[in-house]
Amino acid sequence: MANDANHLHTKAIHGGLDPAAHRGAVSVPIYQSSTFAFPSAEEGAARFAGTSPGPIYTRMGNPTVQALESCVADLEEGCGAIATATGMAAISTVFLALLRNGDHVVCTDPLYGATRTLLTRYFSRLGVTSTFVPATDNAALAAAIRPETRLIYVETPANPTLDLVDLAAASAIARAAVIPLVVDNTFAGPHLQRPITLGADVVLHSMTKSLNGHSDVIAGIVIARDPAMLAVLRDAAIMFGMTIDPHQSWLVLRGIRTLGMRVERAQQNAIAIARWLEQHEEVAWVRFPGLPSHPQFDLAQRQMSGPGSVIAFELRGGTEAGRILMNSVRMITLAVSLGGVESLIEHPSSMTHKGVPVEEQRRQGITAGLVRLSAGCEDLDDLLADLAQALACVAVASPPRPRVSA
Ligand SMILES: *Cc1c(COP(=O)(O)O)cnc(C)c1O
């Protein structure tokens, strides 16, 4: 119901759509042009001076890209957005725009593997230090702030443990320290969670995931709460060359038109699969924000309008059982990524989070046997049948063991 009140289906379908501006086209055209003719020298000068809004050069802005940016900014309730070539380009844009030598960042753990590596391997070389605190620990987040801390960076639900960060609490901490709160909202997406409404200053996405939703594009976006922040981020994205191209933007905008339907259907599948897995005797535990067994179930109910479609679970047989499961699924595809119409399964410890040292993985709750499943939009019966036959292969391969409660 909350979603209906926020007009999210309507915004996803009509955002950036203005047929009168494009000869009546109902699908925003692909402006496949690197540069734009100025009707006069005076108009060209006005565009460079920022007093006329017309396009100049595609790295600096393009009508197809702008349609996508305005659609996502509207969904996230921000003042505007900058679309980028990849999700990592969105993250790099934020760090490059807001940090300089000597600055410090406080992040929650776990983070998307490459985000953590970006900070520890590359931004450390540029004199930026970072402190990582557990996603679930607000007191540790507040305590990690130093005089030189310039931003708080969080991801919720976190990848791959599905720990949640309390966004209202994190934004209160950021406001008290007078620094921006940046949220990677890739996992939930704007349909299920809008961090700006909870106090965040900057929200970003890998649009490769649910926004595009068809596993055929790599793209990212950064959304700002206020125009001054947006201007700083846009300048960095243009100068560092992070921006997206028009064809890729068109594909993502096309994907977004069905965002609400896809997310709701995948989520229904995920809820049913999570409940089913929790009852399965080969499964040691399931972590999913839609299950009462999630330690932050109440927070999920408060800050999200649904639990999403990614499930983490551990098999009783640990890593070896997980290996057999992933080799035994037939329709569910063994691949990284998430949020697409097709269901994907992967092993974070050896795949997406391979770059995180093993001791560090364990500290963050990324156990050796953790399996991540991104539920897609297939028929639920087919998904359960595939999981059932794959778990039967696991059972055959493992020695019998007594049923113990989790
Ligand atoms: C995939 C992902 C990214 C990186 O996005 P790319 O589009 O692959 O560059 C960042 N954060 C999260 C949470 C992701 O899932």
Side-chain angles (χ1 to χ4, degrees):
M1 291 315 282
N3 280 337
D4 295 353
N6 287 297
H7 310 286
L8 287 161
H9 290 283
T10 306
K11 285 178 178 182
I13 292 165
H14 287 272
L17 179 60
D18 180 9
H22 307 288
R23 301 184 176 217
V26 170
S27 160
V28 178
I30 306 171
Y31 284 85
Q32 193 73 47
S33 184
S34 60
T35 192
F36 293 84
F38 306 136
S40 67
E42 293 76 10
E43 174 62 17
R47 289 186 192 179
F48 270 94
T51 54
S52 168
I56 299 173
Y57 179 71
T58 284
R59 178 165 47 79
M60 301 159 71
N62 171 291
T64 315
V65 177
Q66 279 159 5
L68 170 64
E69 290 172 342
S70 104
C71 181
V72 179
D74 201 24
L75 284 169
E76 284 286 3
E77 303 190 33
C79 77
I82 307 112
T84 55
T86 68
M88 289 313 299
I91 296 165
S92 300
T93 294
V94 171
F95 291 157
L96 289 165
L98 303 181
L99 300 170
R100 62 185 65 181
N101 191 320
D103 288 350
H104 172 248
V105 185
V106 178
C107 303
T108 51
D109 248 346
L111 287 184
Y112 183 70
T115 307
R116 190 188 172 94
T117 306
L118 185 65
L119 286 167
T120 56
R121 186 184 301 165
Y122 291 98
F123 277 87
S124 56
R125 295 204 309 219
L126 303 177
V128 174
T129 52
S130 11
T131 301
F132 296 86
V133 300
T136 56
D137 192 344
N138 298 329
L141 182 63
I145 309 274
R146 305 180 193 158
E148 66 274 21
T149 306
R150 285 293 163 270
L151 67 88
I152 299 177
Y153 184 96
V154 309
E155 194 182 308
T156 180
N159 179 23
T161 58
L162 303 177
D163 284 332
L164 306 183
V165 177
D166 184 333
L167 289 175
S171 66
I173 293 166
R175 226 169 302 130
V178 202
I179 54 175
L181 171 66
V182 180
V183 181
D184 182 336
N185 199 29
T186 300
F187 260 53
H191 199 76
L192 303 178
Q193 173 174 278
R194 288 167 302 286
I196 287 175
T197 67
L198 297 167
D201 301 283
V202 177
V203 172
L204 60 89
H205 284 275
S206 166
M207 298 197 292
T208 311
K209 314 298 164 54
S210 65
L211 286 176
N212 179 59
H214 294 76
S215 305
D216 49 12
V217 173
I218 298 279
I221 198 159
V222 185
I223 305 101
R225 165 196 284 281
D226 74 65
M229 175 65 88
L230 182 68
V232 169
L233 295 168
R234 184 179 296 287
D235 189 66
I238 292 171
M239 291 304 157
F240 283 102
M242 301 292 188
T243 49
I244 196 171
D245 83 78
H247 186 251
Q248 200 182 355
S249 301
W250 183 85
L251 283 166
V252 177
L253 191 55
R254 181 194 177 144
I256 289 174
R257 299 307 189 204
T258 55
L259 176 67
M261 282 82 82
R262 287 186 285 102
V263 165
E264 286 172 13
R265 182 176 169 91
Q267 174 171 270
Q268 272 173 10
N269 280 343
I271 292 168
I273 293 168
R275 288 186 184 142
W276 183 87
L277 284 172
E278 208 167 38
Q279 300 304 315
H280 198 288
E281 60 179 12
E282 292 301 326
V283 176
W285 49 261
V286 179
R287 181 64 70 80
F288 180 65
L291 291 177
S293 60
H294 191 291
Q296 296 164 292
F297 182 66
D298 292 342
L299 175 61
Q301 306 277 97
R302 245 188 357 261
Q303 79 181 11
M304 304 172 75
S305 45
S309 55
V310 181
I311 303 166
F313 61 99
E314 170 99 17
L315 297 177
R316 289 190 191 285
T319 314
E320 178 58 10
R323 192 186 62 75
I324 295 169
L325 175 77
M326 283 180 278
N327 282 335
S328 304
V329 286
R330 294 178 188 153
M331 178 183 72
I332 297 170
T333 306
L334 174 57
V336 299
S337 198
L338 53 103
V341 288
E342 64 291 294
S343 297
L344 301 180
I345 197 164
E346 69 113 359
H347 180 235
S349 181
S350 69
M351 297 174 186
T352 45
H353 290 68
K354 176 96 187 86
V356 180
V358 173
E359 329 72 76
E360 188 49 44
Q361 288 185 10
R362 298 301 172 267
R363 206 182 55 73
Q364 296 177 20
I366 306 171
T367 50
L370 182 77
V371 174
R372 187 183 80 185
L373 174 68
S374 170
C377 297
E378 299 95 337
D379 290 300
L380 179 62
D381 288 353
D382 293 329
L383 290 169
L384 292 179
D386 195 16
L387 285 169
Q389 68 78 25
L391 286 168
C393 298
V394 170
V396 166
S398 23
R401 69 190 81 82
R403 177 102 173 97
V404 288
S405 53

